[in-house]
Amino acid sequence: MANDPAELAERIASGDVRAAARLMRDLDDIRPGAIAVMKHLYPRTGRGFVLGITGNPGAGKSTVVDALISLYRAAGKRVGVVAVDPTSPFSGGAILGDRIRMQRHATDEGVFIRSLATRGHLGGLSRSTGEVVAVLDAMGYDVVIVETVGVGQDEVDVVSQAECAVVVTVPGMGDEIQAIKAGILEIADVLVVNKSDREGADRAVRDLFAMLELRGHDAAPVEIVRTVATSGKGIDELAHAIDRFRERGIHASDVPNAGGITPRRRRRAQATLRELVVDRLRRATDGALAARPELVDEVAARTTDPYTAADELVRAITASK
Amino acid sequence: MTSQRKLRILVAKPGLDGHDRGAKVVARALSDAGYEVVYTGLHQTPEMIAAAAVQESVDAVGLSIMSGAHMTLFPAVIEALRARGAGDVLVFGGGIVPDEDLAPLKTAGVAQVFKPGASTEEIIKWVETHVRPRAEAG
């Protein structure tokens, strides 16, 4: 089926869910033709609010997302969701189970949920996440929620994708809170203590406060919200905290330039661009290596040093462009 | 050079019975075979399954039905998929299905029914021979 990219982009932008889902698949599978459609969709992006949800495995990220979908839908907003789960490094397969918690929205026409597997990509998201977010954005979803895999310390890619990063934790992690502070706590724009009806919620909030206190005076304010996502308790307050963060962002450090572009938005564009360049170079590298097996042999035999070989491969890659 | 398709399969449990062990075992086996398995859990209506299948652009939908309602639920899922322009998604399933129901289910468009005792290897072999070629062509 030879579809004209411009026409296909038009169909997707005007809400063809099936065509959009197939494009997401083609982007994920790196099929030829998908990029041509993205080129037509890109000018339509940048309107939706991209919200990142990250946190430890089992913290209740999917349930928080489910509750936020309900809240935004009640406010008349259309919601896109990209939920990422890990690919098994052994089988290459994945069980994508985030939808289980969101199934009450399955037949809501105003909600588009897409599950992605990391496919070996590190950082808590898949390589394709940014592109899938862009498709939903171009389709006119008012809010696009990105749920990362359950993260530990340094899976912080969500920062480069989302306008606001919400980090979900739970009570009773004790010293584990200390462990997560290194990475994901530092990227939090809003902190959530979910399952806050459990014992230890007060202590968890105190620990988080203490940790925030350790930051410098010029650090941006971070609100801590208690939720019980399964009952929807605190989700209103979370949405308000997100709104306040956006207000602050626009009025304080995130001052738009003459072209109306805020530093945060510029950083996201740079991250997207960087990701695409790195991805292309990675594939070019694999190609160059495959084309010069003797170089690998020489390095293995110590007849050439790896630095010289690397320079030669880089020359081969740049010459072939 | 085109990369190989990563097969995506939705595993769902329509209807009212709560026996999801079979569905979980199959989901796990398909994942171990290298596929991406979207698992939507228990008590799914045909509409929910079809909507998820479209949004997730899966190649096939695997249904586990232990309630005896297979003669209703299988055709309902196929109908819901067609209504959403996704009639090309293969529907297969497993559960307690009497022999005399197999032919009518085939006629209704069910691609394959695995009976109790079918091995996960059998299911994966079927996916490779029937689902894989269609996915690579698309």
Side-chain angles (χ1 to χ4, degrees):
Chain A
M1 196 165 56
N3 267 312
D4 172 45
E7 189 198 317
L8 188 52
E10 188 57 47
R11 258 169 55 205
I12 291 166
S14 52
D16 186 331
V17 171
R18 178 134 175 88
R22 297 182 97 140
L23 174 63
M24 292 171 182
R25 175 84 184 272
D26 286 347
L27 289 165
D28 219 7
D29 289 346
I30 318 181
R31 295 301 260 207
I35 298 302
V37 183
M38 287 310 285
K39 286 180 182 176
H40 288 284
L41 284 177
Y42 189 77
R44 300 171 189 260
T45 61
R47 295 172 298 170
F49 170 59
V50 184
L51 176 65
I53 307 283
T54 188
N56 316 85
K61 293 181 294 296
S62 299
T63 313
V64 169
V65 171
D66 173 67
L68 282 172
I69 297 172
S70 296
L71 182 139
Y72 287 128
R73 288 300 290 146
K77 293 186 166 129
R78 299 172 70 232
V79 184
V81 176
V82 184
V84 188
D85 270 317
T87 294
S88 159
F90 302 107
S91 68
I95 292 186
L96 311 173
D98 291 323
R99 282 189 87 98
I100 296 174
R101 310 259 177 258
M102 309 172 197
Q103 272 307 78
R104 61 181 162 143
H105 305 292
T107 56
D108 181 347
E109 304 276 339
V111 180
F112 189 146
I113 301 166
R114 178 63 171 216
S115 313
L116 296 175
T118 53
R119 299 193 181 181
H121 196 271
L122 304 174
L125 301 174
S126 72
R127 180 202 56 83
S128 60
T129 300
E131 291 173 329
V132 173
V133 168
V135 174
L136 291 167
D137 187 359
M139 291 178 83
Y141 286 93
D142 303 294
V143 182
V144 180
I145 304 176
V146 179
E147 180 188 336
T148 74
V149 302
V151 298
Q153 301 201 18
D154 59 355
E155 292 93 339
V156 295
D157 271 6
V158 72
V159 187
S160 62
Q161 296 293 343
E163 288 162 72
C164 174
V166 174
V167 175
V168 183
T169 65
V170 282
M173 302 225 329
D175 288 345
E176 284 180 53
I177 288 270
Q178 300 292 333
I180 63 169
K181 76 179 172 188
I184 60 172
L185 216 51
E186 283 165 24
I187 60 142
D189 298 314
V190 176
L191 278 165
V192 171
V193 177
N194 191 34
K195 308 186 188 182
S196 65
D197 52 343
R198 286 193 184 173
E199 197 185 322
D202 290 337
R203 172 154 182 227
V205 171
R206 271 203 313 277
D207 284 351
L208 290 173
F209 261 124
M211 227 162 285
L212 292 173
E213 287 289 307
L214 293 176
R215 306 176 313 152
H217 287 299
D218 52 349
V222 175
E223 291 189 47
I224 302 174
V225 183
R226 295 165 184 247
T227 60
V228 183
T230 47
S231 71
K233 193 166 165 240
I235 296 299
D236 264 343
E237 189 43 44
L238 171 57
H240 286 138
I242 291 165
D243 285 344
R244 284 191 291 269
F245 168 79
R246 292 180 75 184
E247 289 294 310
R248 277 199 306 275
I250 290 158
H251 296 306
S253 61
D254 218 22
V255 182
N257 66 11
I261 307 294
T262 64
R264 203 177 174 98
R265 182 157 280 219
R266 196 177 178 284
R267 276 202 301 278
R268 278 177 62 210
Q270 180 167 321
T272 301
L273 193 52
R274 185 175 188 284
E275 186 85 350
L276 288 175
V277 172
V278 169
D279 192 55
R280 277 160 174 68
L281 288 176
R282 189 179 293 127
R283 276 184 275 157
T285 305
D286 290 341
L289 272 169
R292 300 288 305 276
E294 80 283 1
L295 265 183
V296 181
D297 293 333
E298 286 166 27
V299 172
R302 303 309 198 259
T303 52
T304 303
D305 71 85
Y307 307 99
T308 307
D311 285 339
E312 198 167 330
L313 284 175
V314 169
R315 270 195 299 277
I317 291 166
T318 46
S320 71
K321 289 287 144 181
Chain B
M1 191 181 71
T2 309
S3 54
Q4 202 190 34
R5 281 285 190 199
K6 176 69 80 175
L7 294 191
R8 287 170 68 88
I9 298 174
L10 183 105
V11 174
K13 186 82 189 70
L16 298 176
D17 76 280
H19 304 285
D20 62 353
R21 184 165 166 78
K24 282 180 173 162
V25 168
V26 169
R28 179 64 203 260
L30 293 172
S31 156
D32 286 346
Y35 312 141
E36 290 180 356
V37 181
V38 179
Y39 185 67
T40 56
L42 286 165
H43 310 313
Q44 302 291 296
T45 66
E47 278 303 313
M48 291 162 89
I49 291 167
V54 169
Q55 291 180 359
E56 300 287 0
S57 59
V58 294
D59 303 296
V61 172
L63 303 175
S64 163
I65 306 176
M66 313 291 271
S67 61
H70 49 271
M71 294 305 281
T72 321
L73 290 171
F74 273 117
V77 169
I78 288 167
E79 194 42 52
L81 282 168
R82 284 181 185 153
R84 289 167 187 268
D88 60 323
V89 174
L90 285 182
V91 176
F92 67 101
I96 300 166
V97 177
D99 284 341
E100 61 264 32
D101 289 347
L102 293 177
L105 286 175
K106 275 255 151 110
T107 312
V110 179
Q112 182 70 27
V113 176
F114 295 95
K115 308 251 300 166
S119 66
T120 52
E121 288 81 6
E122 210 176 305
I123 299 172
I124 287 152
K125 197 168 160 231
W126 179 82
V127 169
E128 283 301 322
T129 43
H130 291 86
V131 183
R132 169 78 66 194
R134 295 163 63 109
E136 297 297 347

